[in-house]
Amino acid sequence: MIDISQFRIAPGTRVDLSRHEPNSRKGFEGGKKDGKKALPGLTKTIAGLQRRLWAESEQSLLVVLQAMDTGGKDGTIRHVFRGVNPQGVDVHGFGVPTEEELAHDYLWRVHQHTPADGRIAIFNRSHYEDVLVVRVKELVPKEVWSRRYEHIRAFEEMLSHEGTTIVKVFLNISKDEQKERFEARLGEPDKNWKFRKGDLEDRALWDAYRAAYEDAITKTSTDHAPWYVVPADRKWYRNLAVSSILIETLERMNPQFPDPEQDLTDVVIR
Ligand code: AMP
Ligand code: MG
């Protein structure tokens, strides 16, 4: 486990991403090899906690993953949720909205995928795109996106009151690391499919995206839906960090196996 308090953005504090080191491996003694060796123990713990959540079926967990392109959202999901029962977990990616989605309010498509009792939902991108790409690319006027932080806070508070625990993770990579990962996508044939020329337009807007992230995280990190800024240049550390966040969160939720409906003590199977 890594101490996750170092990643947590206390409500009301102004986030300055230049003060969050993407290459950090703070709180872990050892290097890549040790880090990789430590992961299976954590994913096993997550799997055990998820089993209890599923059996209890009285509360749910929503994990929001956000990052710049190549930030590692897919890899995090693949590694961290390795051990869980697929029956209890829903992963949903939010891409460019469809015509139907655009004809509704921006939370409409999101609300349909929030987790039911006993389940974990993982958002690969989320309603935060509506104050990130939408803001940076000026897809709606400022007066429209600037009102959304308040909607989002209220929406997440409502979910939390109704039984959903929320954790939000920003995978923080450096601009240099992004360059290397894009180069890998170009250079390795089995990664070509992940590369879109449009991604480079977003890279050119790096500073505007960082500013949009700083605002979004600052304005929406709350006690009921905290943001964690996770150093993500080292994939192995990122995996340990996100696993630690999930374990601490699930342990706090403390799901319990339900008691059997009847007294089973004298049941004999013949
Ligand atoms: P990917 O995660 O690589 O599949 O890419 C999804 C794309 O959808 C990204 O370029 C996002 O910026 C874009 N996207 C997600 N949500 C929205 C939104 N609400 N409005 C516009 N673009 C979005
Ligand atoms: Mg992409």
Side-chain angles (χ1 to χ4, degrees), residues 27-57:
F28 187 77
E29 302 286 324
K32 181 174 178 174
K33 221 169 142 194
D34 310 295
K36 283 188 155 184
K37 244 194 256 163
L39 187 62
L42 300 189
T43 57
K44 209 171 150 204
T45 304
I46 293 170
L49 286 159
Q50 185 247 348
R51 256 187 97 211
R52 276 161 52 187
L53 185 75
W54 170 254
E56 179 195 67
S57 202

Side-chain angles (χ1 to χ4, degrees), residues 137-148:
K137 298 269 184 76
E138 298 177 21
L139 302 180
V140 301
K142 179 172 183 184
E143 66 182 64
V144 174
W145 60 253
S146 60
R147 291 191 295 243
R148 291 180 171 172

Side-chain angles (χ1 to χ4, degrees), residues 69 125 185 194 196 199:
D69 284 319
R125 303 185 191 271
R185 285 184 182 184
K194 272 199 162 188
R196 289 181 310 119
D199 290 344

Side-chain angles (χ1 to χ4, degrees), residues 14 106-107 127-136 140-158 168 208-222 224-225 227:
R14 171 91 223 151
Y106 66 99
L107 291 175
H127 44 299
Y128 283 95
E129 294 292 325
D130 293 284
V131 289
L132 294 165
V133 61
V134 167
R135 164 177 163 166
V136 172
V140 301
K142 179 172 183 184
E143 66 182 64
V144 174
W145 60 253
S146 60
R147 291 191 295 243
R148 291 180 171 172
Y149 304 102
E150 200 180 327
H151 307 153
I152 290 172
R153 280 198 303 270
F155 173 64
E156 291 177 351
E157 185 176 34
M158 181 277 290
K168 302 178 294 197
Y209 272 104
R210 300 286 281 186
Y213 265 109
E214 286 175 340
D215 261 1
I217 295 170
T218 298
K219 291 180 177 171
T220 65
S221 200
T222 57
H224 53 261
W227 272 105

Side-chain angles (χ1 to χ4, degrees), residues 82-208:
R82 186 178 279 164
V84 300
N85 176 2
Q87 234 186 152
V89 180
D90 306 293
V91 183
H92 195 80
F94 293 92
V96 179
T98 63
E99 212 175 306
E100 192 190 18
E101 287 168 349
L102 281 175
H104 289 82
D105 69 88
Y106 66 99
L107 291 175
W108 179 77
R109 68 171 182 164
V110 173
H111 204 168
Q112 301 175 53
H113 296 285
T114 55
D117 286 345
R119 309 188 69 87
I120 298 177
I122 305 160
F123 284 0
N124 183 335
R125 303 185 191 271
S126 65
H127 44 299
Y128 283 95
E129 294 292 325
D130 293 284
V131 289
L132 294 165
V133 61
V134 167
R135 164 177 163 166
V136 172
K137 298 269 184 76
E138 298 177 21
L139 302 180
V140 301
K142 179 172 183 184
E143 66 182 64
V144 174
W145 60 253
S146 60
R147 291 191 295 243
R148 291 180 171 172
Y149 304 102
E150 200 180 327
H151 307 153
I152 290 172
R153 280 198 303 270
F155 173 64
E156 291 177 351
E157 185 176 34
M158 181 277 290
L159 293 177
S160 121
H161 287 168
E162 296 289 322
T164 300
T165 296
I166 305 170
V167 286
K168 302 178 294 197
V169 177
F170 174 59
L171 302 174
N172 185 27
I173 57 160
S174 64
K175 201 173 177 186
D176 288 344
E177 178 68 20
Q178 188 190 54
K179 181 166 188 273
E180 279 183 27
R181 292 187 188 182
F182 273 142
E183 281 166 356
R185 285 184 182 184
L186 280 175
E188 296 170 38
D190 64 349
K191 288 188 178 170
N192 282 174
W193 65 277
K194 272 199 162 188
F195 189 84
R196 289 181 310 119
K197 283 189 178 157
D199 290 344
L200 297 183
E201 288 168 28
D202 284 332
R203 178 170 168 81
L205 295 167
W206 180 271
D207 292 341

